[in-house]
């Protein structure tokens, strides 16, 4: 069981580090969007930001789910990719149907997959709100706020 916990923690940490990198790239891709408000109506810009953000989050989530599935196969918990991927999706999204289970000392890895999913969905929600700027719409673009933050932190 200790080995399962260690592997699970390592997987969560590696996945969150990768997610942070991907979400950092997402912010850069959003900064490439035109900022001239007169050039685009606000609904077009919001829709574009929504689509770009959603695609980045979907990419990160899919990568995490596939990583868990590949881990399950690597340690011999499932005989094929389809079953490992199905279990990974069900566990990561915390649905937990119970039709496919892990037995023995490795079953703790299922709970850790679910914990990772919960943590990730919180991260995705926070990223969505910050990126789309729901609470502060009208106080400047995301780029302007990032520049102000860097200035206050002395990173300019």
């Amino acid at each position: 069981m200790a080995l399962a916990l260690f592997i699970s923690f390592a997987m969560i940490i590696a996945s969150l580090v990768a997610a942070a990198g991907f979400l950092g790239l997402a912010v850069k891709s959003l900064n490439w969007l035109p900022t001239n408000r007169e050039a685009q109506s606000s609904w077009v810009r919001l829709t574009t930001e929504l689509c770009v953000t959603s695609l980045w989050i979907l990419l990160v989530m899919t990568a995490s789910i596939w990583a868990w599935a590949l881990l399950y196969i690597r340690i011999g918990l499932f005989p094929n990719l389809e079953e490992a991927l199905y279990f990974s999706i069900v566990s990561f999204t915390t649905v937990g149907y119970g039709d496919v289970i892990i037995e023995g000392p490795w079953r703790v890895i299922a709970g850790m997959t679910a914990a990772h999913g919960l943590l990730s969905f919180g991260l995705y929600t926070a990223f969505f709100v910050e990126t789309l700027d729901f609470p502060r719409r009208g106080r400047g673009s995301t780029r302007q706020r990032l520049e102000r933050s860097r200035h206050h932190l002395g990173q300019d």
Side-chain angles (χ1 to χ4, degrees):
M1 184 172 89
L3 180 59
L5 282 173
F6 176 77
I7 290 172
S8 297
F9 280 124
M11 177 61 138
I12 290 171
I13 290 168
S15 183
L16 290 175
V17 167
F22 276 121
L23 295 178
L25 289 173
V27 169
K28 288 184 181 201
S29 71
L30 287 168
N31 283 336
W32 289 338
L33 296 174
T35 56
N36 184 349
R37 299 242 182 231
E38 290 79 32
Q40 287 183 314
S41 64
S42 61
W43 73 270
V44 171
R45 178 157 177 85
L46 182 62
T47 302
T48 304
E49 288 176 353
L50 178 68
C51 290
V52 170
T53 302
S54 296
L55 288 173
W56 277 102
I57 289 173
L58 184 62
L59 173 72
V60 172
M61 186 182 337
T62 302
S64 296
I65 289 170
W66 274 86
W68 280 105
L70 294 174
L71 175 67
Y72 298 151
I73 290 173
R74 177 76 175 115
I75 59 181
L77 296 177
F78 294 104
N80 57 52
L81 181 61
E82 186 272 331
E83 195 171 354
L85 191 56
Y86 172 79
F87 183 82
S88 180
I89 292 168
V90 168
S91 296
F92 192 85
T93 59
T94 67
V95 173
Y97 289 127
D99 56 340
V100 178
I101 59 171
I102 297 174
E103 306 232 358
W106 287 102
R107 67 182 172 197
V108 72
I109 205 168
M112 296 301 287
T113 304
H116 178 211
L118 284 171
L119 182 62
S120 294
F121 281 108
L123 175 67
Y124 305 149
T125 302
F127 181 70
F128 230 142
V129 170
E130 180 59 29
T131 301
L132 297 179
D133 198 24
F134 286 132
R136 293 178 271 180
R137 181 84 48 202
R139 291 190 188 171
S141 69
T142 302
R143 180 183 300 158
Q144 290 168 337
R145 282 194 325 282
L146 287 173
E147 288 173 2
R148 283 194 303 264
S149 296
R150 286 187 191 122
H151 177 72
H152 291 299
L153 295 173
Q155 298 177 349
D156 37 328

